[in-house]
Amino acid sequence: TNVMLDAAVGAVGFTIVITFLALTVALLITFPLALPCAWLLFVSSRALSAIERSRLAALLGERITDPVAPFVATGPWGRFVERLRSRDRWREIAYHVLALPRGVFTTVVAGVAWCGSAALVLLPLYVGSLPGGTAKFWLFEVGPGLGAIALALLGVVGLAVVAPWATLAVTHAQSSI
């Protein structure tokens, strides 16, 4: 479930963060107008990070502590400068910018592993209704009969071994980022 949600969650985080980041950079020429956009960038990134940590805790059982230290400064300007100087806050922003490509990758890898294996398992049932009565792969074609059954067995191996391990691999890669 977590891996299949990555692309959607990544798209939302990417869109929000990249919008405020682009607005902040574009409005730097008029510094007072850039300040609210920069503030919204940091606030939205913090909120998205809290949601992401909550999602990972709920779906993977993995508790991730908040890497950002509490504010030391007391005034609004001091807190804003503290946000600008915080590496952890910029790391959160980078995480959300990279969330979309990472999410698309993890979702596609898991989806192809599961759906491709399932399609191979069911191949003997529908291969005869494909155009030309064969399933066309890159270097070969398979028609009804022994070839379709062999690929169905390969699909069973894919569902039993390849798809779960591929899903675990991309989940582990995602949680280690």
Side-chain angles (χ1 to χ4, degrees):
T1 311
N2 177 57
V3 174
M4 298 313 286
L5 289 173
D6 275 351
V9 171
V12 170
F14 174 86
T15 302
I16 292 169
V17 168
I18 206 73
T19 299
F20 288 129
L21 185 60
L23 280 171
T24 301
V25 171
L27 292 172
L28 277 177
I29 195 163
T30 57
F31 186 71
L33 294 177
L35 291 176
C37 292
W39 181 82
L40 286 170
L41 169 67
F42 287 112
V43 169
S44 63
S45 176
R46 291 292 294 146
L48 289 167
S49 295
I51 292 168
E52 183 70 3
R53 284 191 300 275
S54 173
R55 180 175 79 101
L56 292 176
L59 296 177
L60 299 179
E62 187 171 321
R63 295 246 177 245
I64 300 173
T65 58
D66 189 356
V68 178
F71 287 117
V72 176
T74 55
W77 181 252
R79 287 184 177 199
F80 182 75
V81 170
E82 197 173 322
R83 282 183 176 105
L84 284 174
R85 292 183 177 170
S86 172
R87 281 186 151 184
D88 291 330
R89 291 179 192 270
W90 286 107
R91 198 172 295 133
E92 280 183 343
I93 291 168
Y95 177 87
H96 294 298
V97 169
L98 296 174
L100 179 60
R102 186 204 69 234
V104 168
F105 175 75
T106 58
T107 301
V108 167
V109 167
V112 166
W114 286 101
C115 295
S117 296
L120 287 177
V121 167
L122 299 174
L123 186 64
L125 300 177
Y126 66 86
V127 70
S129 16
L130 293 173
T134 62
K136 293 167 181 59
F137 295 93
W138 293 276
L139 299 174
F140 60 94
E141 290 184 27
V142 175
L146 194 57
I149 293 170
L151 285 178
L153 293 175
L154 184 65
V156 169
V157 171
L159 284 174
V161 179
V162 176
W165 282 105
T167 305
L168 276 174
V170 293
T171 301
H172 179 68
Q174 175 207 9
S175 63
S176 65
I177 291 179

